[in-house]
Amino acid sequence: MPNEEFSDLENRIDYHFRNKAVLLEALTHRSFYHENPDIADAYNERLEFLGDSVLGFVIVEYLFFLDEHFSESVMAKTKSYLVKEAVLSEIACSISLGKYLRLGKGEEHTGGRAKKSLLADAFEALLGAIYVDGGYEPAQKLVKSLFREKIDTIIFSREFHDFKTELQEKTQLLFNSIPEYQIIKQEGEEHKKIFTIEVYIAGEKFGTGVGKSKKEAETIAAQEALSRFQS
C-alpha cells in the first residue's frame, strides 16, 4: 500500500502508526495472504480477536463511569448491540475502511470491500493494531469518537435498538435509497428547544418525530417509519 494511502486512513482515524507493518497486517484479509505468500507475512485475524476484546472493554468502561450507574444487564445489552456486525460495518464505512483492505482476487470480485462481515472484522483488527502500536489510550480515543453518538442515542432513548440504522438498511434493500430527515419546526428557547422532524423515503413521508434534540426526533421518526413496514 502506498504511503499516501496509509496517511489518508491515518488522518481519517486521527492516529498515525509508528509501526506501519502492524497497520498493514490489520488491513490484510486471509484471502490476500494465501494468494500472495511472498509479500504478505500475516493476515488480520489475530488482531481482530484482540480488537474485539479491546472494543468490548472500552464500551463497558465508558458505560460504567456514566452518571446513570447502569446495571450489569443494561451494560450487557448496550455492549451486545454496539458490537454486532451491522453496527461495526457501519462504523467501518464511516471511515471508508473497505477501500484500504488487501483482498484476494476472489473476495475482490465478489464485492468483499462492501461485505458487512468482512468490514466488521477489519474494524476490530484495526482497533487491535492501534492497541498494539500505541497502547490503550489511542484505542479508547478512537472508540469513543466513533461510537459516542450511538451510545448516547441508546442511553437517551432507553432503547437497545438503533431504529435509524435499521430503517436505512431496510430502505436500501427495498428502495435502493437512504432516508432523508427534514427539520419541519423548531420551538422554544435556545436551551429548551423542541424539534419536529419528518423522514422521507424515495420522496414520500414515512414518519414524524418530536423531541428535545434532533437525534431524539429523528429516532422517533425512524421508529414510526419502521412501523409502517410492519403494518
Side-chain angles (χ1 to χ4, degrees):
M1 176 182 288
N3 286 335
E4 58 268 21
E5 290 193 29
F6 271 135
S7 297
D8 186 37
L9 176 58
E10 289 172 326
N11 288 336
R12 286 177 182 273
I13 62 175
D14 194 26
Y15 179 77
H16 292 267
F17 283 80
R18 292 171 293 186
N19 183 357
K20 305 298 185 186
V22 180
L23 173 57
L24 195 62
E25 181 179 336
L27 299 174
T28 302
H29 189 257
R30 67 156 63 202
S31 61
F32 185 92
Y33 170 81
H34 289 307
E35 289 181 19
N36 302 275
D38 53 328
I39 60 173
D41 297 327
Y43 54 94
N44 64 9
E45 291 179 15
R46 274 170 35 92
L47 287 171
E48 174 199 336
F49 182 74
L50 175 62
D52 175 68
S53 295
V54 174
L55 175 63
F57 180 79
V58 173
I59 289 172
V60 171
E61 179 191 48
Y62 180 79
L63 293 170
F64 185 89
F65 287 107
L66 289 174
D67 292 338
E68 286 85 348
H69 296 287
F70 291 119
S71 67
E72 177 189 357
S73 64
V74 169
M75 289 191 291
K77 287 178 183 177
T78 305
K79 175 195 167 189
S80 178
Y81 165 73
L82 290 168
V83 301
K84 69 180 185 177
E85 182 181 291
V87 174
L88 294 184
S89 62
E90 183 183 336
I91 294 292
C93 285
S94 75
I95 57 172
S96 301
L97 186 57
K99 69 181 281 190
Y100 305 103
L101 299 180
R102 298 206 296 177
L103 305 178
K105 293 178 181 177
E107 279 294 342
E108 189 76 69
H109 292 154
T110 56
R113 295 185 189 279
K115 287 182 181 176
K116 290 184 178 182
S117 59
L118 196 151
L119 288 170
D121 293 345
F123 176 76
E124 290 181 327
L126 177 64
L127 185 62
I130 291 173
Y131 178 81
V132 169
D133 187 71
Y136 178 70
E137 285 190 11
Q140 179 196 45
K141 178 184 175 183
L142 180 65
V143 173
K144 284 186 173 182
S145 68
L146 294 176
F147 284 81
R148 180 176 280 119
E149 182 176 346
K150 288 189 175 294
I151 294 173
D152 291 346
T153 297
I154 291 172
I155 291 168
F156 191 86
S157 65
R158 294 296 193 270
E159 294 279 359
F160 304 102
H161 191 86
D162 190 335
F163 293 108
K164 288 180 65 178
T165 296
E166 183 181 350
L167 180 63
Q168 179 168 317
E169 291 175 350
K170 191 175 288 289
T171 57
Q172 285 177 319
L173 179 65
L174 297 176
F175 301 98
N176 194 30
S177 66
I178 61 174
E180 295 182 12
Y181 295 89
Q182 297 182 11
I183 299 176
I184 304 303
K185 189 164 49 176
Q186 296 183 47
E187 301 175 291
E189 300 174 11
E190 188 62 36
H191 62 291
K192 291 184 179 180
K193 280 188 177 295
I194 299 295
F195 294 88
T196 301
I197 288 178
E198 294 178 345
V199 59
Y200 289 80
I201 301 168
E204 180 183 349
K205 187 176 80 172
F206 269 68
T208 303
V210 179
K212 296 177 181 178
S213 70
K214 285 187 274 190
K215 286 183 198 173
E216 182 186 11
E218 288 176 355
T219 297
I220 294 169
Q223 185 176 6
E224 182 179 302
L226 283 167
S227 68
R228 287 188 55 179
F229 290 107
Q230 297 161 0
S231 59

